[in-house]
Amino acid sequence: WIMSYLWSIQGEIYLFGWLAPKESLDEELRLLQQRIDQLIAQGHKVVHVGTSAGASAAINLFAIRPDIARVVNIDGRVRKGNHSGRRSLDSAAAHNPIFKESVLRCEAGLKSLTINRLAGILTLVPLWDEIVPADTAVIEGAKNVKVWCAGHILSIFVAMLFCRRTILKFIA
């Protein structure tokens, strides 16, 4: 009901298994693809909105499934980057190797996308994030929008609430 109220669209929330991961990233993606297949068979347009760690998973599927119309990355790491310490991918994925695999696969998958397919990606990135460095979330060739706030959780909330018109216009 939240998506219906805030965004005037019908949607589903799919909790990707970051907290209780399956055996592999492929298994997680396979489960999500089953649901996508059902929705497409019912005639629905499928658009992914991935927040935080979910952005790389959403883009991984977008890269291999031309039947996914568009994808939105809300403050999610999609590249390894050259950061050290707390902001490095190794630190972010220390307790979840499937997340690291997802980011690395996403980075490779982005390189395979055409200019037209890259135009089907919207990124919403805050001014500063203590967890996801901006240069690991911005995608060359995509529509990149700056969210005028700072902080990981706050920027996701602000993007979903105050950038909803931008998102709706993009996915329409």
Side-chain angles (χ1 to χ4, degrees), residues 115-139:
I115 293 170
N116 286 340
R117 198 70 173 138
L118 284 167
I121 302 173
L122 169 65
T123 69
L124 298 162
V125 182
L127 295 172
W128 181 84
D129 185 314
E130 73 279 13
I131 297 171
V132 179
D135 66 312
T136 67
V138 172
I139 300 170

mmCIF file of all heavy atoms in Angstrom, residues 115-139:
data_model
loop_
_atom_site.group_PDB
_atom_site.id
_atom_site.type_symbol
_atom_site.label_atom_id
_atom_site.label_comp_id
_atom_site.label_asym_id
_atom_site.label_seq_id
_atom_site.Cartn_x
_atom_site.Cartn_y
_atom_site.Cartn_z
ATOM 1 N N ILE A 115 24.295 1.758 -25.139
ATOM 2 C CA ILE A 115 23.942 3.123 -24.739
ATOM 3 C C ILE A 115 22.440 3.218 -24.468
ATOM 4 O O ILE A 115 22.014 3.836 -23.485
ATOM 5 C CB ILE A 115 24.376 4.135 -25.817
ATOM 6 C CG1 ILE A 115 25.897 4.195 -25.889
ATOM 7 C CG2 ILE A 115 23.796 5.519 -25.553
ATOM 8 C CD1 ILE A 115 26.440 4.973 -27.070
ATOM 9 N N ASN A 116 21.626 2.595 -25.312
ATOM 10 C CA ASN A 116 20.167 2.638 -25.121
ATOM 11 C C ASN A 116 19.754 1.929 -23.841
ATOM 12 O O ASN A 116 18.843 2.380 -23.143
ATOM 13 C CB ASN A 116 19.444 2.012 -26.315
ATOM 14 C CG ASN A 116 19.477 2.913 -27.532
ATOM 15 O OD1 ASN A 116 19.700 4.112 -27.423
ATOM 16 N ND2 ASN A 116 19.265 2.336 -28.697
ATOM 17 N N ARG A 117 20.406 0.824 -23.545
ATOM 18 C CA ARG A 117 20.053 0.082 -22.323
ATOM 19 C C ARG A 117 20.508 0.860 -21.088
ATOM 20 O O ARG A 117 19.792 0.891 -20.076
ATOM 21 C CB ARG A 117 20.675 -1.315 -22.380
ATOM 22 C CG ARG A 117 20.079 -2.300 -21.438
ATOM 23 C CD ARG A 117 18.664 -2.691 -21.829
ATOM 24 N NE ARG A 117 18.236 -3.777 -20.953
ATOM 25 C CZ ARG A 117 17.043 -3.855 -20.418
ATOM 26 N NH1 ARG A 117 16.128 -2.972 -20.690
ATOM 27 N NH2 ARG A 117 16.731 -4.859 -19.630
ATOM 28 N N LEU A 118 21.691 1.478 -21.135
ATOM 29 C CA LEU A 118 22.159 2.295 -20.011
ATOM 30 C C LEU A 118 21.197 3.450 -19.730
ATOM 31 O O LEU A 118 21.005 3.843 -18.584
ATOM 32 C CB LEU A 118 23.564 2.846 -20.296
ATOM 33 C CG LEU A 118 24.708 1.860 -20.147
ATOM 34 C CD1 LEU A 118 25.986 2.432 -20.761
ATOM 35 C CD2 LEU A 118 24.930 1.480 -18.693
ATOM 36 N N ALA A 119 20.567 3.965 -20.785
ATOM 37 C CA ALA A 119 19.595 5.050 -20.614
ATOM 38 C C ALA A 119 18.360 4.585 -19.849
ATOM 39 O O ALA A 119 17.577 5.409 -19.384
ATOM 40 C CB ALA A 119 19.198 5.619 -21.976
ATOM 41 N N GLY A 120 18.198 3.287 -19.679
ATOM 42 C CA GLY A 120 17.091 2.730 -18.903
ATOM 43 C C GLY A 120 17.399 2.597 -17.419
ATOM 44 O O GLY A 120 16.665 1.942 -16.679
ATOM 45 N N ILE A 121 18.491 3.226 -16.983
ATOM 46 C CA ILE A 121 18.889 3.185 -15.570
ATOM 47 C C ILE A 121 18.842 4.595 -14.990
ATOM 48 O O ILE A 121 19.372 5.538 -15.575
ATOM 49 C CB ILE A 121 20.314 2.608 -15.397
ATOM 50 C CG1 ILE A 121 20.413 1.204 -15.981
ATOM 51 C CG2 ILE A 121 20.719 2.622 -13.918
ATOM 52 C CD1 ILE A 121 21.838 0.646 -15.999
ATOM 53 N N LEU A 122 18.216 4.722 -13.835
ATOM 54 C CA LEU A 122 18.193 5.970 -13.074
ATOM 55 C C LEU A 122 18.929 5.721 -11.771
ATOM 56 O O LEU A 122 18.652 4.736 -11.078
ATOM 57 C CB LEU A 122 16.749 6.394 -12.779
ATOM 58 C CG LEU A 122 16.535 7.528 -11.769
ATOM 59 C CD1 LEU A 122 17.110 8.844 -12.293
ATOM 60 C CD2 LEU A 122 15.051 7.661 -11.433
ATOM 61 N N THR A 123 19.881 6.598 -11.439
ATOM 62 C CA THR A 123 20.534 6.499 -10.132
ATOM 63 C C THR A 123 20.194 7.744 -9.316
ATOM 64 O O THR A 123 20.158 8.853 -9.839
ATOM 65 C CB THR A 123 22.075 6.364 -10.241
ATOM 66 O OG1 THR A 123 22.630 7.582 -10.723
ATOM 67 C CG2 THR A 123 22.473 5.223 -11.154
ATOM 68 N N LEU A 124 19.937 7.534 -8.051
ATOM 69 C CA LEU A 124 19.701 8.617 -7.093
ATOM 70 C C LEU A 124 20.784 8.498 -6.032
ATOM 71 O O LEU A 124 20.825 7.513 -5.281
ATOM 72 C CB LEU A 124 18.310 8.496 -6.487
ATOM 73 C CG LEU A 124 17.173 8.617 -7.509
ATOM 74 C CD1 LEU A 124 15.875 8.070 -6.949
ATOM 75 C CD2 LEU A 124 17.006 10.041 -7.949
ATOM 76 N N VAL A 125 21.669 9.482 -5.994
ATOM 77 C CA VAL A 125 22.869 9.412 -5.157
ATOM 78 C C VAL A 125 22.933 10.656 -4.270
ATOM 79 O O VAL A 125 22.791 11.778 -4.762
ATOM 80 C CB VAL A 125 24.132 9.337 -6.052
ATOM 81 C CG1 VAL A 125 25.386 9.212 -5.210
ATOM 82 C CG2 VAL A 125 24.027 8.169 -7.024
ATOM 83 N N PRO A 126 23.164 10.473 -2.967
ATOM 84 C CA PRO A 126 23.221 11.639 -2.074
ATOM 85 C C PRO A 126 24.515 12.430 -2.225
ATOM 86 O O PRO A 126 25.478 11.967 -2.852
ATOM 87 C CB PRO A 126 23.138 11.005 -0.685
ATOM 88 C CG PRO A 126 23.761 9.666 -0.849
ATOM 89 C CD PRO A 126 23.371 9.217 -2.237
ATOM 90 N N LEU A 127 24.535 13.599 -1.626
ATOM 91 C CA LEU A 127 25.738 14.428 -1.624
ATOM 92 C C LEU A 127 26.906 13.688 -0.967
ATOM 93 O O LEU A 127 28.042 13.792 -1.403
ATOM 94 C CB LEU A 127 25.484 15.737 -0.876
ATOM 95 C CG LEU A 127 24.453 16.669 -1.502
ATOM 96 C CD1 LEU A 127 24.162 17.832 -0.570
ATOM 97 C CD2 LEU A 127 24.943 17.159 -2.860
ATOM 98 N N TRP A 128 26.606 12.977 0.100
ATOM 99 C CA TRP A 128 27.634 12.216 0.819
ATOM 100 C C TRP A 128 26.961 11.038 1.505
ATOM 101 O O TRP A 128 25.837 11.136 1.975
ATOM 102 C CB TRP A 128 28.316 13.093 1.874
ATOM 103 C CG TRP A 128 29.388 12.368 2.612
ATOM 104 C CD1 TRP A 128 30.686 12.200 2.217
ATOM 105 C CD2 TRP A 128 29.276 11.701 3.871
ATOM 106 N NE1 TRP A 128 31.371 11.462 3.144
ATOM 107 C CE2 TRP A 128 30.528 11.141 4.184
ATOM 108 C CE3 TRP A 128 28.222 11.504 4.764
ATOM 109 C CZ2 TRP A 128 30.763 10.417 5.338
ATOM 110 C CZ3 TRP A 128 28.456 10.784 5.916
ATOM 111 C CH2 TRP A 128 29.725 10.259 6.202
ATOM 112 N N ASP A 129 27.664 9.923 1.510
ATOM 113 C CA ASP A 129 27.157 8.718 2.152
ATOM 114 C C ASP A 129 28.315 8.053 2.885
ATOM 115 O O ASP A 129 29.382 7.848 2.307
ATOM 116 C CB ASP A 129 26.584 7.769 1.082
ATOM 117 C CG ASP A 129 25.929 6.541 1.679
ATOM 118 O OD1 ASP A 129 26.509 5.920 2.582
ATOM 119 O OD2 ASP A 129 24.844 6.183 1.221
ATOM 120 N N GLU A 130 28.093 7.714 4.117
ATOM 121 C CA GLU A 130 29.150 7.105 4.932
ATOM 122 C C GLU A 130 29.414 5.650 4.561
ATOM 123 O O GLU A 130 30.444 5.095 4.948
ATOM 124 C CB GLU A 130 28.802 7.219 6.425
ATOM 125 C CG GLU A 130 27.691 6.317 6.920
ATOM 126 C CD GLU A 130 26.266 6.802 6.647
ATOM 127 O OE1 GLU A 130 26.070 7.736 5.854
ATOM 128 O OE2 GLU A 130 25.343 6.210 7.237
ATOM 129 N N ILE A 131 28.523 5.029 3.812
ATOM 130 C CA ILE A 131 28.659 3.610 3.464
ATOM 131 C C ILE A 131 28.942 3.412 1.980
ATOM 132 O O ILE A 131 29.810 2.631 1.611
ATOM 133 C CB ILE A 131 27.381 2.840 3.875
ATOM 134 C CG1 ILE A 131 27.216 2.898 5.393
ATOM 135 C CG2 ILE A 131 27.439 1.395 3.390
ATOM 136 C CD1 ILE A 131 25.895 2.368 5.894
ATOM 137 N N VAL A 132 28.189 4.094 1.123
ATOM 138 C CA VAL A 132 28.307 3.926 -0.332
ATOM 139 C C VAL A 132 28.945 5.181 -0.924
ATOM 140 O O VAL A 132 28.283 6.214 -1.047
ATOM 141 C CB VAL A 132 26.933 3.673 -0.982
ATOM 142 C CG1 VAL A 132 27.069 3.536 -2.490
ATOM 143 C CG2 VAL A 132 26.269 2.437 -0.391
ATOM 144 N N PRO A 133 30.223 5.115 -1.313
ATOM 145 C CA PRO A 133 30.845 6.274 -1.953
ATOM 146 C C PRO A 133 30.126 6.600 -3.264
ATOM 147 O O PRO A 133 29.773 5.695 -4.026
ATOM 148 C CB PRO A 133 32.281 5.812 -2.220
ATOM 149 C CG PRO A 133 32.511 4.675 -1.265
ATOM 150 C CD PRO A 133 31.174 4.015 -1.112
ATOM 151 N N ALA A 134 29.901 7.881 -3.522
ATOM 152 C CA ALA A 134 29.131 8.305 -4.699
ATOM 153 C C ALA A 134 29.710 7.754 -5.991
ATOM 154 O O ALA A 134 28.966 7.364 -6.892
ATOM 155 C CB ALA A 134 29.052 9.830 -4.755
ATOM 156 N N ASP A 135 31.033 7.679 -6.101
ATOM 157 C CA ASP A 135 31.624 7.203 -7.358
ATOM 158 C C ASP A 135 31.390 5.714 -7.602
ATOM 159 O O ASP A 135 31.610 5.232 -8.706
ATOM 160 C CB ASP A 135 33.118 7.528 -7.412
ATOM 161 C CG ASP A 135 33.927 6.775 -6.378
ATOM 162 O OD1 ASP A 135 33.531 6.746 -5.201
ATOM 163 O OD2 ASP A 135 34.969 6.207 -6.744
ATOM 164 N N THR A 136 30.893 4.994 -6.599
ATOM 165 C CA THR A 136 30.569 3.573 -6.800
ATOM 166 C C THR A 136 29.085 3.371 -7.105
ATOM 167 O O THR A 136 28.644 2.243 -7.328
ATOM 168 C CB THR A 136 30.945 2.725 -5.571
ATOM 169 O OG1 THR A 136 30.124 3.078 -4.460
ATOM 170 C CG2 THR A 136 32.418 2.879 -5.214
ATOM 171 N N ALA A 137 28.316 4.458 -7.122
ATOM 172 C CA ALA A 137 26.877 4.373 -7.368
ATOM 173 C C ALA A 137 26.458 5.049 -8.672
ATOM 174 O O ALA A 137 25.456 4.674 -9.265
ATOM 175 C CB ALA A 137 26.107 4.982 -6.199
ATOM 176 N N VAL A 138 27.218 6.033 -9.116
ATOM 177 C CA VAL A 138 26.921 6.751 -10.349
ATOM 178 C C VAL A 138 27.293 5.869 -11.535
ATOM 179 O O VAL A 138 28.310 5.169 -11.508
ATOM 180 C CB VAL A 138 27.685 8.094 -10.394
ATOM 181 C CG1 VAL A 138 27.551 8.772 -11.736
ATOM 182 C CG2 VAL A 138 27.194 9.007 -9.276
ATOM 183 N N ILE A 139 26.467 5.902 -12.589
ATOM 184 C CA ILE A 139 26.689 5.056 -13.760
ATOM 185 C C ILE A 139 26.770 5.927 -15.005
ATOM 186 O O ILE A 139 25.813 6.625 -15.352
ATOM 187 C CB ILE A 139 25.548 4.025 -13.914
ATOM 188 C CG1 ILE A 139 25.478 3.129 -12.679
ATOM 189 C CG2 ILE A 139 25.721 3.212 -15.191
ATOM 190 C CD1 ILE A 139 24.246 2.249 -12.622
#
